[in-house]
Amino acid sequence: NDPSCLTPIFTSTVPVVGTSVNSDRFSTTSAGMYQWEVSYSGDANNLPAGPTACSDPDGAVSVSRYMTNLGVTAAAAVVGTIRATAGINGYFPTGTITFLLTPPGDMFCSGTPVFTTTVAVSGNGTYLSAPFTLPLGGLFKWRASYSGDRNNTPGQITSCLDSNAAVIVPGNDSLRLQAA
């Protein structure tokens, strides 16, 4: 992303044999537009040439952001609270994961979440939501989305119908003790 090609991030000098040569390999470290400039030193039969223009479209290579994978799973309920975990796999992802909790009765997650929480991402792995204190019982559904960053695409909100992201919480009446 240096349109004037003022600061090279890689140089390669290779011997010329024939009319076509390849540079040494370069591994990118981030998404963006990379511009190649080429110079030829010349030899006994050929004059020096180059460098090619920085704006030459034939020397441009666009490196796309990594397609990030995100999955969410409901964690086991702990007395009075529920949580979710989200696993992310990308190219050294940073940014945030936002967890959304759908209340009982919202079968297709079309309403307003009863709870949202956001956690920072610092690499591939599993991230835990903040706990949600349960005001009532029923079927809760967790979803998550990833913000994206310079090297990773933002993620769509995970599916509402993912059974791994659902947790059934008994209602308060089922928690009462029965006298013998």
Side-chain angles (χ1 to χ4, degrees):
N1 295 324
D2 180 5
S4 58
C5 299
L6 292 178
T7 310
I9 58 172
F10 174 77
T11 59
S12 171
T13 303
V14 296
V16 175
V17 178
T19 58
S20 180
V21 295
N22 291 318
S23 72
D24 293 322
R25 292 191 176 269
F26 171 71
S27 295
T28 62
T29 56
S30 62
M33 183 64 69
Y34 291 83
Q35 293 287 138
W36 286 97
E37 289 183 293
V38 180
S39 296
Y40 173 60
S41 63
D43 61 21
N45 297 317
N46 299 289
L47 295 173
T52 55
C54 176
S55 59
D56 184 349
D58 291 332
V61 178
S62 177
V63 175
S64 299
R65 292 193 286 178
Y66 190 86
M67 293 298 295
T68 308
N69 295 312
L70 178 69
V72 65
T73 304
V78 178
V79 178
T81 64
I82 57 175
R83 295 180 102 160
T85 60
I88 188 166
N89 183 16
Y91 184 76
F92 305 105
T94 59
T96 60
I97 294 174
T98 299
F99 292 88
L100 303 105
L101 184 61
T102 300
D106 188 352
M107 181 178 279
F108 299 107
C109 304
S110 57
T112 303
V114 293
F115 179 70
T116 61
T117 182
T118 301
V119 297
V121 172
S122 61
N124 292 327
T126 303
Y127 295 87
L128 187 62
S129 74
F132 174 69
T133 303
L134 300 164
L136 65 143
L139 175 65
F140 290 85
K141 298 177 184 180
W142 285 102
R143 295 180 300 146
S145 66
Y146 170 59
S147 65
D149 63 19
R150 177 175 172 81
N151 294 316
N152 298 279
T153 59
Q156 297 292 325
I157 295 176
T158 57
S159 173
C160 175
L161 303 177
D162 182 354
S163 61
N164 292 323
V167 60
I168 297 175
V169 177
N172 289 341
D173 59 340
S174 66
L175 296 177
R176 285 189 234 146
L177 296 175
Q178 296 287 333

